Amino acid sequence: MLLFVGLGNPTPDSENNRHNVGFKIIDTINKKFSLSKQKPKFKGLLTTGNIEGEKVYAIKPLTFMNNSGVCIRELLEYFKFDAEDVIVFHDDLDVEFGKIKAKFGRSSAGHNGIASIDKFIGKDYSRVRIGIGKPKGKIETADYVLQNFDEDENDGIEQITKNITDSISILLDKNLDLFSSTVNNK
């Protein structure tokens, strides 16, 4: 069993924010692999199903980005998941726009959603960091991540989301280096 987690904020005006790219990934996985209808459970929107014979749960925490760990811990405790079976999709300022880096463990690097998950379940889980690039000009980081993607960026995010879902079988095997290179070379 695997748990896919997409980080974001649950308000309607946040839907297209840079910070919500994790939600976009989960929505695309749900649609492409015909996972169950989203149901409110464990302080999130939960779906289940099978992808290539692997039982998968996917959740979008409704606890807001900075409290994502609350939702994840409840789900892990209920289903008896190990943290090693968690794969989190989230935005990352330190990754070039439209690129991804998949890694196991590591520090939060200042990402509050990741820091929350670390606090509640530890650091022994996988992360797929989706590059949103750095802000240009004098915009504050917090303001930048809460801005909507512009039209060109939307096209880039749609492509990277497609590349991620097209390569999901590699991620199911937890081959993170191969997954990163495959997605980035499409």
Side-chain angles (χ1 to χ4, degrees), residues 2-5 25-26 28-30 32-33 35 50-54 56-58 87 89 128 160-176 178-180 182-183 186:
L2 286 176
L3 171 62
F4 292 145
V5 178
I25 301 295
I26 295 299
T28 304
I29 289 170
N30 289 341
K32 178 170 180 152
F33 297 103
L35 300 184
N50 289 293
I51 301 176
E52 297 186 12
E54 180 88 34
V56 172
Y57 294 83
I87 300 173
F89 298 91
V128 177
I160 197 71
T161 300
K162 180 184 182 318
N163 294 349
I164 287 170
T165 56
D166 286 350
S167 304
I168 209 83
S169 62
I170 301 167
L171 194 56
L172 293 174
D173 290 335
K174 297 183 188 173
N175 191 335
L176 301 178
L178 179 59
F179 177 75
S180 292
T182 302
V183 170
K186 286 191 172 208

Side-chain angles (χ1 to χ4, degrees), residues 89-109:
F89 298 91
H90 67 92
D91 62 297
D92 197 308
L93 290 162
D94 294 324
V95 178
E96 178 185 337
F97 179 84
K99 297 293 183 184
I100 67 110
K101 288 188 178 181
K103 299 287 179 195
F104 183 82
R106 305 259 173 118
S107 78
S108 67

Side-chain angles (χ1 to χ4, degrees), residues 13-149:
D13 61 330
S14 300
E15 186 177 336
N16 202 35
N17 287 178
R18 290 179 177 91
H19 228 13
N20 276 40
V21 72
F23 277 15
K24 288 181 177 293
I25 301 295
I26 295 299
D27 288 341
T28 304
I29 289 170
N30 289 341
K31 184 176 180 183
K32 178 170 180 152
F33 297 103
S34 301
L35 300 184
S36 67
K37 183 179 177 189
Q38 291 182 355
K39 293 180 182 172
K41 287 190 167 201
F42 308 105
K43 297 183 178 81
L45 292 176
L46 181 68
T47 58
T48 62
N50 289 293
I51 301 176
E52 297 186 12
E54 180 88 34
K55 178 72 173 178
V56 172
Y57 294 83
I59 197 158
K60 298 187 313 188
L62 298 177
T63 52
F64 287 88
M65 180 69 74
N66 295 354
N67 291 311
S68 298
V70 173
C71 167
I72 307 313
R73 182 180 66 192
E74 282 188 23
L75 199 149
L76 289 184
E77 288 174 353
Y78 183 84
F79 287 112
K80 308 295 186 223
F81 271 102
D82 291 323
E84 292 86 10
D85 296 323
V86 176
I87 300 173
V88 177
F89 298 91
H90 67 92
D91 62 297
D92 197 308
L93 290 162
D94 294 324
V95 178
E96 178 185 337
F97 179 84
K99 297 293 183 184
I100 67 110
K101 288 188 178 181
K103 299 287 179 195
F104 183 82
R106 305 259 173 118
S107 78
S108 67
H111 192 289
N112 291 333
I114 296 300
S116 174
I117 295 171
D118 290 353
K119 175 182 171 185
F120 284 97
I121 72 165
K123 296 181 181 190
D124 292 336
Y125 61 93
S126 299
R127 297 168 41 192
V128 177
R129 301 163 50 206
I130 297 107
I132 61 168
K134 293 192 181 287
K136 295 171 179 70
K138 296 189 180 209
I139 186 169
E140 293 291 322
T141 300
D143 294 331
Y144 178 73
V145 299
L146 295 176
Q147 282 183 343
N148 286 342
F149 287 112

